[in-house]
Amino acid sequence: MKKKDPQQPADQLPVRTPVRPAKPKWNLQRNWPLHLLVFPAFVLVLIFQYAPLPGLIMAFQEFKPWLGYFDSPFIGLEQFRKIIEIPQARQVIWNTFLISSFKIVFQLLVPFVFALLLNEVRIMVFKRFVQSFVYLPHFLSWVILGGILIDMLSTDGGLINQVLTSLLPIEPIFFLGDGDWFRFTVIVSDVWKDFGFSTIVFLAALAGIDPSLYEASLIDGANRFKQALYITIPGMIPITIVVGTLSLGNILNAGFDQIFNLYNPLVYQKGDIIDTYVYRIGLLSGDYSFGTAVGMFKSIISFVLIVAAYRMAYKFANYRIF
Amino acid sequence: MKTKVWRNHLLLSMSMVLAFGAACSNSGPADPAPVPGSTNNEQEVGEGGISYSAPFADGKYDPPIDMTTVAAVSPSMTFKNGETMENNVHTEWALERFGINLNYLWTSTTQNTAFNTRMRLALSANEKMPDVLAIDDVQLANDLIDSGKFMEVGEMWERYASDAYKQAVNEDPTMWYPFMREDGAYGIPIPEYSWNNDTVLFIRQDWLDNLGLEAPETLDELEAVMDAFVTQDPDGNGQADTYGLALGMRDSLKPAQATASWVFGAYGTIPQQWNLAEDGSLAYGSIQPGAKDALQKLNEWVSKGYIHREAGLHDETKAAELFTSGRAGIIAGPYWMDRTPLKDLMVNVEGASFQAYPVPTGPDGQAGRQGTLNFRGAVLINKDAPHPEAFFVYQNYLFDNFATLQEGSEFEYQFAEGYDYVLVDGEASYDTNDIPGGRVIPQKYTITYEGARIPSSAMEALGWLAEGNEPRNNLERYHSRFSDETRLQVANVNLNSREASMPERFTGAPTRTMKSRGEYLNTQELETFIKIIYGELPIDEFDRFVETWKSSAGDTITEEVNEWYNAVKE
C-alpha cells in the first residue's frame, strides 16, 4: 500500500459529499491503473493517427515514391485545383453532401423516436428481443448486404417488388437502376442497417435520466405523454447534440462500402460520391498526391463543420460537448 | 517521484517507437557482395560473348553464389514437409543444380495487393533492391524502372538467353513493349499461356436440342436462337422466365466473364481498349463507328427481353449465376469457365448441358473477341547485382527442360517427385491421394511464378488432344491427364478462333493525360453506353459522346498512346 495522503480524506468520511474538490489534481499516483488502461490506445493513436500526419505534405507535391518526401517536387495547391477542376467534381460533391445529410438526419431521428417508443414498452422480454433484433444488421458487411439487396430489390422476382406490385397497382420499381430511387434506397438501407445500433446510445441516455423526476411528475399529475414531453425528450437532447455534432464530421463520407457495392453506371450521375470517384481514379493511376489532397480536403471541411457545430451547441443549447 | 519515473518511461517508449519507425526506413544490412565484373572473377569469355562473374563449370557456380530476390506468396501456394518460401525443394534445387543460393530479402502475400504495397514501401523507403525481381503489375514495374535502380537487360538477353527461352518470348515481341525505354529494355517479360482469357460462347446444348435449333454462327442466327430461348420456353416449365444472354455490365463492357465485348467485336472493334487500326496506329475501341452499331444491337436485345433488365447492375459473378441457375441460355467468357463457375449448372439443373461455340460473326463476316496479353509482368535485374547473368543460368534451364517437360530431363513428369507427382510402378500419378503428404505445386515457388511457360504450348496441346490425337510428348501426356471431354472441346473452340482475338495494344503505364483525365472519360463512356443500351439515351447520343471524348482530352491521349507505340515498336 501507498502511504495515505493527508489531503485525501474522502475514504474516511462516513457519507459521500456531493461537493467536488475545488481543484482537481493530476494525480497519477491514485489513477495509474486507469492510465495504464488507456496507454495502449494512446500509443495506437500516436502511431496510426499522428505519425502519418507529416505525410500530408504529399498533397502539395507531385509525389514520386522513389524520390520520397524530401525530393519530390513541390507543386503548391495544384492537386486541390485538380479536385475542383474535374468536370464531375461539383456533381460528385453535391451527391456526397446530399446523401450523407439525409443519412445524418435520419440516423438521428429514427433511433431517437425508436428509443422513445421502446422505452414505453412494458413487456421486458419483448423489449429486449426487439432491441437485439434491430441491431443485428449492423454486423453484416456491405459486401454481403449488397448482393442480398440486389436480389431483394430486383425488378424480376425480387421480394420487395413482388410485395409492392401485389399490393399497389404499380409497375416494379427499378430501385438500383434509377438515380432518384437509388438515393432513396441508399439512405433507407443505411438507416435500416444502423439505426438499431445507434438506438443503444439513446437507450443508455434514457437509463441515465433521474427516476425521481418521473416520480415528482407523477405527483404533479403528469400522464405518460406529458412525462415523455417534459422529462424524457429534454433528457435526451444533450446526447442527441453530441451524436449530431460528431456525425457532422462525416458529412463528406457518404458510405463508400455501401455505395460501391450497390452502384452501377446507370446511377453514376446521382449516386457517385467522392470516395467511389477517387477510388476509380486511384485504381487507374496510383496517384498518391491526389488521393492525399482529397483526404485533406474532406478533413478540413469536416473539421470546420465540427467546430461550428460545437460553438453553436454552446451558444444555443448552452451545452459543452467536450 | 513516481510520476516522474512514469513520464520518463512514457517518453522512452515513445522515442523507441519513433526510432523503430526511423530504422524501418533505413536500408538493410550492408551488402558485402564483390564488385560486379571485377577482374578477379571474370572467367574466360565463351562463345556468343558469354562470361560468368564467378567461377562457373558444368552449368554450376562453384563455390555457390548468392542471389537476392523477393517473393510474392499467393494463396494458391502450399508447402509441405515444413518447407517455407525461403527454404524448400525449389531453393535446394537451385543451389544443387546451379550453385545459386537464393536469398529472399522479404516475402509478402499477394492478398489485398499486399506484395505491391510492400514493394512500393520498399521503393519509397529507399530500401536495397534485390538482385532479381519479378513483378506482375505493369505500372509498378514502370515505377521501379523509373527509379533508376535496375539495369538495361536487352543486351544481356541477347548474349545469355537460351534459344528455347528466346523462342518463347519471341512468340509475341509486343511483350517487351511495356518495359521499353529510349535506351533499351528494362524488364524481361514473363511469358504466360496464350488465349487464356479470350472469349468463347457457352450455349445451353439441351435448350438448343429441345427446340431443335442449330448453333448460331452469325449475329442474326444468334438473335434467332435468343428469341427462341426467350419465347419458346426452352426449359419446358411452362413459364416465360428465361433469358437469352447473361451479361455483367456493372463495372465494364469487357470483363473476362459474362462480357459483351464480342458484340462489338462482330462490328470490328473491342470497346474500352486500344486496338490496332488499319493504318497501323492505335485507336480507341469505344469511339469507332462499329461501337455505335453494337450499342444499337444491345439496346434492341434489352428491349426485346433477351438480356436481363438488370444486366447493368450485375457483375461477373451475378451474371454467371443467371446462367448456372438455368435461367439464361448463353454466356460469353474465357475457356476456363467450363469448370468454375459453369460446372454449377449441372448441379443446379438436372439434365442440363452446355457446349462452347466460337463468337458469332457480324454483318461483314468478321468476328472479334477480347484477347489476352501473353505475359505476366517482367523480371527486373538490379544495376548493382553482383551476378546478373545468374538469372539466365536459372531461367534458361527451366525453359530448356521444364517448359516442355522435356523427355529424359529431371522434369520429365513435373517439378519434383513427392511434391507434384509420384511414381507408382513406373507410372506418374498426379493424384493427391497417392502423394505422401498431399500434392503441392513447387513450380509456383520459382522466381517467375510458374516456372517457365511457352505461350502457345498449353492451348495447342489441348487442341491436338481435342482432335482425338494421341499425345506426342510429355506436355501433351500431362494435359491429357487433367482434361475431361468438356475441357478439350472448349479448348479446341478457343484455339480455333484465335484469328478473332484482339488483345489490348496499349500495354505501357498510363500516360500523363490518362492519369489526369482518363477516369473522367471512362465514367462518361460507361454511363453513356449503359444508358444507350437501356434506351434511356437515344443512339445518336453516341456521336455526341465521341465529340466530347475527342475534345476533352481524348485526342491528346490518342497522341500520347501512339507516341508510346511508335517508340516501342522499333
Side-chain angles (χ1 to χ4, degrees):
Chain A
M1 266 308 282
K2 285 152 274 178
K3 68 171 171 127
K4 283 249 164 72
D5 193 333
Q7 283 184 331
Q8 295 287 338
D11 51 351
Q12 289 160 0
L13 288 175
V15 274
R16 244 173 39 162
T17 52
V19 187
R20 286 190 195 166
K23 282 181 189 169
K25 273 195 176 174
W26 170 256
N27 196 333
L28 206 54
Q29 224 161 19
R30 199 177 59 169
N31 292 337
W32 69 267
L34 295 180
H35 284 93
L36 196 68
L37 279 178
V38 89
F39 184 70
F42 178 71
V43 171
L44 287 181
V45 167
L46 213 63
I47 295 176
F48 290 107
Q49 306 290 327
Y50 283 86
L53 278 181
L56 282 178
I57 199 170
M58 279 197 283
F60 307 98
Q61 291 177 327
E62 178 84 58
F63 183 73
K64 294 264 185 281
W66 56 92
L67 292 177
Y69 298 125
F70 297 106
D71 298 320
S72 289
F74 274 89
I75 53 167
L77 294 173
E78 182 66 26
Q79 302 290 1
F80 292 91
R81 226 189 51 183
K82 240 161 81 181
I83 302 177
I84 311 293
E85 272 190 351
I86 296 169
Q88 289 135 317
R90 206 169 288 173
Q91 182 68 39
V92 168
I93 293 174
W94 171 242
N95 289 344
T96 313
F97 179 75
L98 199 74
I99 291 176
S100 65
S101 302
F102 273 103
K103 279 186 179 174
I104 288 174
V105 170
F106 285 104
Q107 282 293 13
L108 276 179
L109 209 61
V110 174
F112 187 93
V113 173
F114 190 73
L116 265 183
L117 293 176
L118 209 57
N119 193 42
E120 301 300 323
V121 174
R122 296 276 109 173
I123 313 159
M124 270 322 247
V125 180
F126 178 69
K127 187 176 162 181
R128 292 257 164 79
F129 173 76
V130 171
Q131 201 181 327
S132 316
F133 188 74
V134 293
Y135 82 64
L136 279 181
H138 174 79
F139 296 102
L140 292 174
S141 78
W142 276 113
V143 181
I144 296 165
L145 273 181
I148 296 175
L149 278 182
I150 289 174
D151 280 340
M152 294 226 311
L153 298 172
S154 169
T155 52
D156 169 50
L159 184 70
I160 308 272
N161 267 316
Q162 270 187 348
V163 171
L164 284 180
T165 46
S166 64
L167 293 179
L168 305 167
I170 51 167
E171 286 287 297
I173 297 168
F174 203 3
F175 283 107
L176 295 172
D178 178 277
D180 294 321
W181 278 112
F182 181 77
R183 284 179 180 166
F184 172 84
T185 311
V186 161
I187 293 160
V188 170
S189 61
D190 184 68
V191 171
W192 165 74
K193 181 173 185 281
D194 280 331
F195 86 93
F197 200 73
S198 324
T199 304
I200 295 175
V201 178
F202 288 100
L203 284 173
L206 281 175
I209 295 174
D210 192 345
S212 63
L213 289 174
Y214 289 106
E215 287 158 20
S217 71
L218 264 180
I219 292 166
D220 289 344
N223 58 21
R224 286 195 72 81
F225 179 71
K226 294 274 181 190
Q227 281 184 352
L229 201 62
Y230 293 111
I231 299 170
T232 318
I233 293 181
M236 283 164 77
I237 291 297
I239 192 74
T240 313
I241 293 175
V242 174
V243 174
T245 308
L246 292 181
S247 56
L248 270 183
N250 284 326
I251 192 92
L252 290 185
N253 293 328
F256 172 80
D257 287 1
Q258 181 193 18
I259 297 200
F260 184 71
N261 281 301
L262 290 177
Y263 81 159
N264 59 76
L266 280 173
V267 295
Y268 274 173
Q269 207 180 344
K270 296 202 166 165
D272 207 7
I273 55 168
I274 298 177
D275 289 342
T276 48
Y277 190 77
V278 169
Y279 171 81
R280 294 204 307 277
I281 290 187
L283 205 69
L284 186 81
S285 54
D287 194 337
Y288 300 94
S289 293
F290 184 69
T292 312
V294 172
M296 203 169 158
F297 173 77
K298 283 171 56 182
S299 306
I300 290 171
I301 290 181
S302 302
F303 182 71
V304 169
L305 282 172
I306 289 189
V307 170
Y310 173 79
R311 287 275 155 92
M312 265 154 49
Y314 182 58
K315 198 169 175 195
F316 297 115
N318 200 17
Y319 181 75
R320 276 193 185 280
I321 295 164
F322 310 117
Chain B
M1 276 294 279
K2 238 177 184 167
T3 317
K4 227 171 205 166
V5 172
W6 238 106
R7 277 199 193 139
N8 286 345
H9 275 303
L10 193 74
L11 278 176
L12 187 69
S13 46
M14 268 167 60
S15 53
M16 272 166 71
V17 166
L18 291 176
F20 176 70
C24 286
S25 55
N26 286 336
S27 59
D31 177 27
V35 186
S38 64
T39 39
N40 286 359
N41 290 330
E42 198 77 41
Q43 294 295 293
E44 73 275 24
V45 175
E47 56 180 315
I50 290 184
S51 61
Y52 294 94
S53 56
F56 189 89
D58 302 329
K60 194 172 173 180
Y61 289 97
D62 192 24
I65 56 152
D66 269 343
M67 183 159 90
T68 58
T69 184
V70 295
V73 183
S74 77
S76 66
M77 287 164 75
T78 47
F79 296 92
K80 64 192 262 185
N81 306 340
E83 293 183 348
T84 60
M85 192 64 223
E86 289 85 355
N87 190 0
N88 55 47
V89 61
H90 158 250
T91 54
E92 272 166 33
W93 165 80
L95 184 61
E96 191 70 20
R97 176 72 53 211
F98 312 118
I100 296 174
N101 187 17
L102 283 172
N103 183 354
Y104 290 87
L105 296 181
W106 49 267
T107 64
S108 167
T109 170
T110 54
Q111 278 173 308
N112 296 321
T113 67
F115 177 82
N116 290 357
T117 309
R118 177 69 182 83
M119 198 69 238
R120 284 197 182 278
L121 283 175
L123 192 58
S124 38
N126 223 356
E127 272 179 40
K128 184 172 117 58
M129 285 292 152
D131 296 340
V132 172
L133 169 64
I135 191 99
D136 65 358
D137 178 315
V138 169
Q139 161 110 53
L140 183 51
N142 275 287
D143 283 350
L144 286 162
I145 292 170
D146 285 338
S147 74
K149 293 179 177 175
F150 296 91
M151 66 192 297
E152 201 278 327
V153 290
E155 195 194 331
M156 289 205 76
W157 167 258
E158 285 306 324
R159 275 165 63 193
Y160 290 99
S162 72
D163 288 340
Y165 192 6
K166 278 183 180 156
Q167 225 163 19
V169 175
N170 286 343
E171 280 193 3
D172 177 9
T174 65
M175 282 192 236
W176 289 95
Y177 290 0
F179 315 108
M180 297 294 280
R181 289 292 181 274
E182 265 169 31
D183 56 342
Y186 279 80
I188 306 163
I190 302 170
E192 242 316 312
Y193 288 146
S194 295
W195 309 294
N196 205 27
N197 281 330
D198 297 29
T199 311
V200 296
L201 284 191
F202 295 92
I203 305 183
R204 282 288 292 273
Q205 192 59 40
D206 54 330
W207 286 12
L208 285 177
D209 296 344
N210 283 353
L211 303 174
L213 295 168
E214 288 287 314
E217 280 173 14
T218 66
L219 268 193
D220 291 337
E221 289 172 24
L222 182 85
E223 225 169 286
V225 168
M226 287 196 295
D227 193 69
F229 280 1
V230 171
T231 56
Q232 296 180 22
D233 191 23
D235 55 356
N237 68 353
Q239 283 173 345
D241 59 350
T242 46
Y243 293 97
L245 174 67
L247 292 183
M249 301 190 287
R250 198 191 106 127
D251 303 308
S252 151
L253 288 168
K254 53 174 282 255
Q257 307 177 50
T259 173
S261 60
W262 50 276
V263 183
F264 293 77
Y267 294 99
T269 183
I270 297 291
Q272 300 184 314
Q273 71 173 26
W274 295 84
N275 302 314
L276 204 55
E278 271 168 24
D279 63 355
S281 68
L282 296 188
Y284 190 58
S286 302
I287 58 164
Q288 305 307 316
K292 188 177 179 180
D293 299 330
L295 287 174
Q296 199 151 24
K297 194 84 323 193
L298 285 166
N299 169 242
E300 213 178 298
W301 292 354
V302 167
S303 63
K304 284 184 182 164
Y306 300 165
I307 299 171
H308 194 284
R309 179 145 160 71
E310 266 144 45
L313 274 56
H314 289 162
D315 59 10
E316 293 173 292
T317 322
K318 272 261 178 264
E321 273 169 26
L322 206 61
F323 186 89
T324 54
S325 65
R327 296 196 57 201
I330 302 170
I331 192 168
Y335 80 98
W336 46 258
M337 276 179 84
D338 65 330
R339 288 188 188 159
T340 318
L342 299 191
K343 265 245 154 30
D344 288 348
L345 173 71
M346 273 69 86
V347 179
N348 297 336
V349 184
E350 211 179 320
S353 66
F354 64 81
Q355 240 189 341
Y357 292 97
V359 293
T361 53
D364 45 6
Q366 59 177 340
R369 57 175 187 165
Q370 66 198 65
T372 320
L373 298 175
N374 289 324
F375 67 96
R376 176 178 172 190
V379 171
L380 312 184
I381 299 179
N382 197 323
K383 235 180 192 164
D384 305 323
H387 311 289
E389 83 287 350
F391 171 72
F392 290 97
V393 171
Y394 168 96
Q395 196 66 3
N396 283 345
Y397 189 88
L398 284 174
F399 268 98
D400 292 345
N401 298 294
F402 184 69
T404 51
L405 303 180
Q406 193 63 43
E407 216 129 347
S409 79
E410 62 179 308
F411 298 132
E412 203 168 353
Y413 302 106
Q414 220 184 336
F415 200 92
E417 182 170 10
Y419 286 84
D420 45 5
Y421 72 91
V422 71
L423 288 177
V424 182
D425 306 328
E427 277 283 310
S429 164
Y430 302 97
D431 190 340
T432 187
N433 295 322
D434 287 344
I435 301 170
R439 185 166 188 257
V440 297
I441 316 284
Q443 76 195 46
K444 290 186 185 292
Y445 309 162
T446 58
I447 297 177
T448 52
Y449 307 121
E450 296 283 356
R453 287 182 161 177
I454 300 168
S456 59
S457 63
M459 211 56 70
E460 270 169 8
L462 286 171
W464 174 261
L465 297 168
E467 282 157 11
N469 299 313
E470 282 302 304
R472 292 165 298 185
N473 52 40
N474 273 340
L475 192 67
E476 284 167 7
R477 252 186 291 281
Y478 170 79
H479 278 294
S480 68
R481 299 284 195 93
F482 280 90
S483 311
D484 56 12
E485 220 169 292
T486 319
R487 168 54 54 97
L488 290 178
Q489 193 266 331
V490 178
N492 202 29
V493 169
N494 187 21
L495 191 68
N496 287 336
S497 23
R498 64 190 130 175
E499 297 298 315
S501 291
M502 297 166 74
E504 167 74 83
R505 294 288 177 176
F506 175 71
T507 49
T511 68
R512 228 187 128 64
T513 319
M514 258 187 208
K515 278 188 180 177
S516 61
R517 282 284 182 266
E519 185 43 44
Y520 165 63
L521 294 177
N522 286 351
T523 304
Q524 287 282 304
E525 176 189 329
L526 202 54
E527 191 176 349
T528 313
F529 279 21
I530 300 286
K531 284 194 166 169
I532 290 175
I533 292 174
Y534 269 79
E536 286 182 21
L537 290 175
I539 183 70
D540 292 330
E541 196 67 15
F542 176 80
D543 301 320
R544 214 182 56 87
F545 159 75
V546 174
E547 281 305 305
T548 330
W549 189 88
K550 286 185 170 169
S551 60
S552 63
D555 276 343
T556 324
I557 294 179
T558 309
E559 265 166 45
E560 288 169 348
V561 165
N562 276 298
E563 207 172 288
W564 169 87
Y565 189 60
N566 289 331
V568 297
K569 210 163 44 172
E570 287 143 21

